[in-house]
Amino acid sequence: MSENNINENVAGDSILVPENPKFPEGLRVLAVDDDPVSLKTLEVMLEKCKYQVTSLTNATEALELLRKSRENQDIVLTDVRMPDMDGFELLKMVGLEMDIPVIMMSVDDSTENVMKGVKHGARDYLVKPVRILELKNIWQHVMRKTVLNPEKSSLMTPEIVMGDLPLKKRRGKDKEQEDANPLSDGASTKKQRFAWTKDLHKKFVDAVHQLDANKAVPKQIVELMNHPGLTREIVASHLQKYRNYLRRQQEEVEAHSYNAGQRGYEVFLNPTPPSYSDYKILPILREANNGNSGSGIMPFHEHLSKPDTLSNSGLNGAFVNGSLNQQVLWSHQNYNSPQMSNQVQAPKPISVLGNAPLAQSWVANPSGRMMIGDYVDMSQQTPNFGAVQSGPPRGFANYAGQSSHAGFSPGNKLPATEQASHPCPPGVFGRVGTPYQILEGASNQINQSLQHNALPGQHDGRVASNVFNGVYPVDFQATDQARANGQGAYMQLLTENMDNNHHNSLGSINDNLSIEGKQPRPPLSFANFAAGQSGKSSFSPSKLSPTEHASYYALLGKKMEESYRLLSMGELVSSGCREYPTDIQAMDVGIQSKWSGYVHANS
Amino acid sequence: MLGLESYRLVADMNRLLALLFHQGVLDEQFLQLQQLQDESSPNFVSEVVNIYFNESEKLLRNLRALLMDREQWEYTKVGVHLNQLIGSSSSIGANRIRNVCVALRAASEQNNRLGCLRALDVLEHEYCYLKNKLHEFFHIEQQRVLAAGIRYPNPMQQHQHHP
């Protein structure tokens, strides 16, 4: 934060430059990823780029951090799949509330996911493993925002902005904001970005609906809202965003031929996360400092809060009869699960306090599973109302969602959920009190120690047939001796799934895993040596000179390639397998001095 | 001699790495990790790899537990675990493990139990292999650091390297 505030540019400077002279160094990046390995790698890479990194594994923590002080991060990098909150959710929340650029990351590079990211407002979508080169450029997204929206940029001081525009054209917004906000006296502080809190947004939505939303004009909205410091421009941009969301939601709804008559679990069977996540028209319905928000299974929480909000604000009538098409759809979507709405209204709107929504959200999402793209499983899960929920599930602890399972309560943000103080309307789904039937079995199994000896941690890893024969627990049905060794088994797996033209590919029949087709060939580091001398396949490596070694290695590389090719024709190169490891072993044994000489010469 | 010892160790490390690259066990992401290691993050690679092993072991155990369940299989959970494993393996550069995970994911999406089980076995095998090799690698690395330290004797350093 400090870097951006240190220097003041001289007013009247007509170039928009960030005030940090060493930009993009010091860019404040927030990295969110539930996988600690990726997170750590990312962190170090970002530090290498000289950014200032904060890394978190928990998306809700990240939101908290951002909310606490809206200006404390410049850009957010988040993983798509996370246990407690869908990455797209986080994306939207951050985009709406804080207007910070968000970049998504994932192993999955499928078009639909990338499209989803774009639609939800991601500035970029990186495919894991993320390269440091890709990270070196992320500052452009922050800069772009600056260029397009100078008033909204966190990099600019008011002086730069105002220096750019002639006084009489200075937008009303700047003026009013400056007046309203005593801090932005233009001297040394950053421009205060207008904060759309949840209450404010709620007021906004109320105002919009009151105004017959098709004709809602920012000016009137401002008057209705009557909020200090709120200007027409701010409302206008917010309104635009809001309309975009509604439109998008409607498109997605239409795209999935959403039937207005759908009720109940059909909602959940509809595998369209956007239709849920687009409930987040009112995304900021929670208190910012709510310590319990951790277990926010965001989509459902907000989904349920909507009927709440509606009943609170008395807009129900207006809402259903709303003139916006989107509104009608929205209300249908909201009331699609009457059981759900029953339940929502029973516990009173403690949403302000943040407790009830959590429990409600556990209703909708009883297993506390991570919100993966499709909600198909929801209908199969036994909802569990008053029973103990153990807070934000993380990773594999999801299905051991009950806090009674020792060792599975993640330990953060638990208490409030367990006290979910609202009454539990019994029998709404007919199966109260029988939580996690399937899950219990699974989680019990997790607790069992590994009986299977499949992790023979002590084997020395040599890919030789005699080592693995006894170890392999599964009978591979193959009589071929070569198949029985580890290498063989692996190769067999390869052949089973092998496409003729994919060397080393475990491509599946199912085509939507776009990853497999793009498997890089194993990097044959010596493969670009001169084409090896053929016919030298069986000789004693120990007698080679260093240069011959190189070519020997190249030959091995070629053999590797060859064996892959043969594999693709469906033929197990058992002979190839046997030969290759043995050769390496021979190398191991015989040739240290020569080899080290060779390596030394070349390293 | 001490100096040569260090050379030999470096050679061993390089040979081991070359082997792993050749076999496709590791890919260039691992090289990227090595490049990230410098004075400001001196033990980065071994730290990350240790985290990776811890995480993957948990994930593998869970996968095994999930797939050994006689009745209903939780394919979505399997998918979730696999995604994390794929993500971490690709961040490390564990190429073969990642490939097998992808195969396993495909099998689970097709509800192919037998394929899943076999793929799981291969996965565990690959994991063990990688783990052993990387442990060996870091072991040599440690020795090399020690040897390098001894090479330039310095009263302070020698004292530090006292085993």
Side-chain angles (χ1 to χ4, degrees):
Chain A
M1 198 178 280
S2 49
E3 290 88 352
N4 286 336
N5 276 333
I6 298 173
N7 307 322
E8 292 175 21
N9 272 334
V10 176
D13 190 351
S14 57
I15 308 170
L16 285 183
V17 289
E19 43 176 31
N20 180 357
K22 295 201 305 184
F23 186 81
E25 290 183 13
L27 194 73
R28 295 158 305 166
V29 182
L30 176 63
V32 186
D33 192 342
D34 62 321
D35 175 20
V37 178
S38 311
L39 190 64
K40 175 103 184 151
T41 323
L42 196 63
E43 191 180 321
V44 173
M45 281 192 197
L46 288 166
E47 277 166 6
K48 210 60 192 240
C49 299
K50 303 223 175 60
Y51 298 149
Q52 192 180 323
V53 187
T54 315
S55 54
L56 295 168
T57 53
N58 190 328
T60 31
E61 266 178 46
L63 262 181
E64 292 308 311
L65 182 69
L66 287 171
R67 282 186 180 143
K68 244 185 264 170
S69 151
R70 272 159 208 278
E71 308 284 325
N72 59 5
Q73 304 295 335
D74 291 317
I75 191 166
V76 177
L77 264 66
T78 173
D79 187 39
V80 164
R81 287 182 197 236
M82 286 189 289
D84 60 337
M85 189 190 304
D86 189 19
F88 296 115
E89 290 316 305
L90 181 63
L91 164 62
K92 285 173 77 158
M93 307 270 306
V94 172
L96 261 189
E97 285 186 44
M98 288 140 232
D99 201 21
I100 300 176
V102 180
I103 294 182
M104 313 290 297
M105 302 178 290
S106 178
V107 265
D108 183 8
D109 63 347
S110 64
T111 313
E112 50 172 286
N113 265 333
V114 181
M115 183 76 77
K116 205 168 145 190
V118 172
K119 278 190 182 162
H120 285 55
R123 300 298 175 99
D124 204 351
Y125 192 107
L126 304 177
V127 181
K128 286 184 180 175
V130 179
R131 308 286 149 87
I132 193 171
L133 291 176
E134 295 167 331
L135 293 176
K136 284 209 159 113
N137 279 331
I138 59 176
W139 59 266
Q140 61 173 293
H141 303 291
V142 183
M143 192 63 203
R144 191 170 292 131
K145 192 179 67 165
T146 301
V147 170
L148 297 178
N149 273 324
E151 302 93 27
K152 287 198 197 153
S153 160
S154 57
L155 300 174
M156 301 296 174
T157 62
E159 286 167 334
I160 301 174
V161 174
M162 291 190 284
D164 223 18
L165 307 168
L167 274 176
K168 61 177 185 277
K169 281 198 204 155
R170 199 196 306 174
R171 297 215 192 152
K173 171 178 170 190
D174 297 342
K175 254 197 184 153
E176 289 181 39
Q177 265 210 286
E178 212 188 347
D179 294 340
N181 192 340
L183 289 180
S184 63
D185 55 358
S188 60
T189 58
K190 274 195 190 176
K191 192 144 197 116
Q192 296 293 322
R193 201 182 283 137
F194 191 79
W196 278 96
T197 62
K198 70 169 185 189
D199 292 327
L200 205 51
H201 186 81
K202 189 173 138 185
K203 273 203 218 170
F204 169 78
V205 177
D206 293 352
V208 166
H209 294 315
Q210 262 183 273
L211 279 177
D212 177 13
N214 265 341
K215 302 194 207 129
V217 180
K219 184 147 178 274
Q220 294 181 348
I221 297 176
V222 170
E223 282 164 15
L224 268 179
M225 287 178 68
N226 197 17
H227 181 89
L230 187 64
T231 71
R232 201 190 64 81
E233 280 79 10
I234 300 172
V235 168
S237 69
H238 196 78
L239 180 65
Q240 190 183 28
K241 283 187 201 162
Y242 180 64
R243 283 202 172 124
N244 283 340
Y245 276 118
L246 290 179
R247 198 181 316 128
R248 211 182 304 154
Q249 178 195 354
Q250 185 185 14
E251 283 166 13
E252 273 147 5
V253 156
E254 283 165 356
H256 294 278
S257 52
Y258 197 89
N259 192 344
Q262 277 184 1
R263 294 253 180 258
Y265 277 113
E266 292 160 46
V267 175
F268 301 106
L269 288 177
N270 185 0
T272 39
S275 57
Y276 268 108
S277 54
D278 278 334
Y279 286 162
K280 297 344 126 235
I281 301 299
L282 305 175
I284 25 193
L285 292 175
R286 303 188 312 193
E287 288 297 331
N289 61 352
N290 180 0
N292 312 322
S293 58
S295 66
I297 310 300
M298 294 299 298
F300 283 90
H301 152 242
E302 275 133 24
H303 161 61
L304 296 172
S305 303
K306 280 221 180 56
D308 236 358
T309 318
L310 295 176
S311 59
N312 281 348
S313 66
L315 277 181
N316 276 354
F319 207 60
V320 176
N321 301 328
S323 52
L324 267 184
N325 288 341
Q326 295 95 324
Q327 283 187 357
V328 172
L329 282 166
W330 189 5
S331 63
H332 276 298
Q333 286 170 8
N334 266 327
Y335 290 105
N336 251 327
S337 43
Q339 300 107 328
M340 298 297 274
S341 37
N342 271 348
Q343 189 177 5
V344 163
Q345 288 155 14
K348 250 4 224 159
I350 330 179
S351 52
V352 187
L353 301 179
N355 274 333
L358 287 171
Q360 292 170 8
S361 72
W362 280 94
V363 165
N365 189 4
S367 64
R369 305 154 65 89
M370 52 212 90
M371 305 306 285
I372 313 164
D374 58 308
Y375 297 114
V376 176
D377 268 338
M378 300 317 294
S379 55
Q380 301 158 10
Q381 293 301 334
T382 6
N384 186 1
F385 301 101
V388 167
Q389 324 285 348
S390 66
R394 284 160 65 91
F396 62 89
N398 272 350
Y399 33 82
Q402 295 168 352
S403 61
S404 55
H405 279 283
F408 280 104
S409 43
N412 49 342
K413 305 189 177 84
L414 289 185
T417 24
E418 292 177 23
Q419 306 160 8
S421 48
H422 67 288
C424 144
V428 170
F429 287 99
R431 283 187 274 174
V432 176
T434 54
Y436 304 99
Q437 280 169 343
I438 299 171
L439 301 173
E440 270 207 322
S443 50
N444 279 340
Q445 287 214 330
I446 292 159
N447 280 332
Q448 287 167 5
S449 60
L450 196 64
Q451 308 134 348
H452 197 80
N453 66 344
L455 284 179
Q458 292 313 310
H459 84 77
D460 65 355
R462 276 187 300 167
V463 191
S465 48
N466 42 7
V467 175
F468 297 133
N469 265 341
V471 165
Y472 251 79
V474 175
D475 175 27
F476 280 91
Q477 307 159 351
T479 50
D480 189 88
Q481 181 61 22
R483 289 184 190 226
N485 64 29
Q487 193 77 359
Y490 177 68
M491 296 301 188
Q492 187 180 19
L493 193 68
L494 287 178
T495 51
E496 276 167 5
N497 295 322
M498 191 86 55
D499 186 1
N500 263 351
N501 290 327
H502 285 234
H503 304 278
N504 196 31
S505 151
L506 294 175
S508 68
I509 306 160
N510 187 355
D511 215 13
N512 67 358
L513 297 173
S514 53
I515 291 180
E516 296 98 279
K518 301 189 188 108
Q519 290 308 333
R521 304 270 290 281
L524 303 175
S525 29
F526 298 90
N528 40 2
F529 278 102
Q533 305 151 332
S534 55
K536 267 202 171 186
S537 49
S538 50
F539 54 82
S540 161
S542 52
K543 300 210 174 71
L544 292 180
S545 71
T547 32
E548 283 170 293
H549 242 290
S551 42
Y552 173 65
Y553 220 88
L555 177 68
L556 278 184
K558 275 193 69 178
K559 279 200 151 318
M560 193 85 170
E561 284 193 278
E562 235 182 292
S563 57
Y564 285 132
R565 239 175 295 134
L566 286 174
L567 272 177
S568 71
M569 295 193 247
E571 208 181 300
L572 250 200
V573 189
S574 43
S575 58
C577 286
R578 254 184 263 130
E579 186 176 4
Y580 179 69
T582 341
D583 282 341
I584 292 292
Q585 284 169 30
M587 265 173 63
D588 279 346
V589 165
I591 42 88
Q592 279 222 357
S593 54
K594 291 223 169 76
W595 181 247
S596 58
Y598 165 68
V599 168
H600 183 56
N602 284 285
S603 57
Chain B
M1 296 304 297
L2 297 176
L4 272 184
E5 184 64 33
S6 173
Y7 278 129
R8 277 172 60 115
L9 291 172
V10 167
D12 283 347
M13 278 171 57
N14 284 339
R15 181 160 51 80
L16 182 55
L17 270 189
L19 168 67
L20 292 177
F21 278 113
H22 235 281
Q23 293 179 321
V25 174
L26 289 178
D27 63 16
E28 67 260 11
Q29 180 70 11
F30 193 76
L31 288 179
Q32 287 233 340
L33 287 189
Q34 286 192 303
Q35 283 164 11
L36 286 177
Q37 179 163 310
D38 58 10
E39 311 79 37
S40 63
S41 48
N43 295 318
F44 170 61
V45 183
S46 61
E47 281 170 15
V48 173
V49 170
N50 278 329
I51 299 175
Y52 172 70
F53 283 143
N54 287 334
E55 285 295 313
S56 334
E57 243 154 70
K58 277 191 263 176
L59 289 171
L60 282 175
R61 269 193 215 112
N62 289 337
L63 278 175
R64 174 60 68 178
L66 279 173
L67 293 178
M68 292 301 271
D69 185 359
R70 292 266 147 208
E71 320 120 25
Q72 195 77 2
W73 273 16
E74 314 264 359
Y75 285 109
T76 33
K77 283 184 200 138
V78 170
V80 162
H81 287 357
L82 280 177
N83 268 318
Q84 186 166 346
L85 197 51
I86 291 176
S88 24
S89 307
S90 53
S91 299
I92 287 281
N95 191 35
R96 285 221 292 225
I97 290 185
R98 182 171 142 225
N99 293 345
V100 179
C101 284
V102 168
L104 177 53
R105 184 169 69 175
S108 81
E109 281 171 7
Q110 295 157 22
N111 283 3
N112 176 3
R113 285 182 89 126
L114 183 60
C116 281
L117 285 170
R118 283 159 134 194
L120 184 63
D121 289 320
V122 174
L123 181 62
E124 285 167 348
H125 157 53
E126 288 293 338
Y127 173 78
C128 292
Y129 181 70
L130 178 70
K131 185 167 177 176
N132 284 331
K133 287 301 182 194
L134 283 181
H135 274 166
E136 194 182 324
F137 177 78
F138 288 124
H139 183 62
I140 306 178
E141 163 90 29
Q142 255 183 339
Q143 289 181 321
R144 183 192 65 82
V145 169
L146 287 177
I150 294 172
R151 243 171 99 198
Y152 300 105
N154 166 339
M156 291 298 287
Q157 267 186 343
Q158 267 181 343
H159 185 68
Q160 282 169 11
H161 282 109
H162 206 66

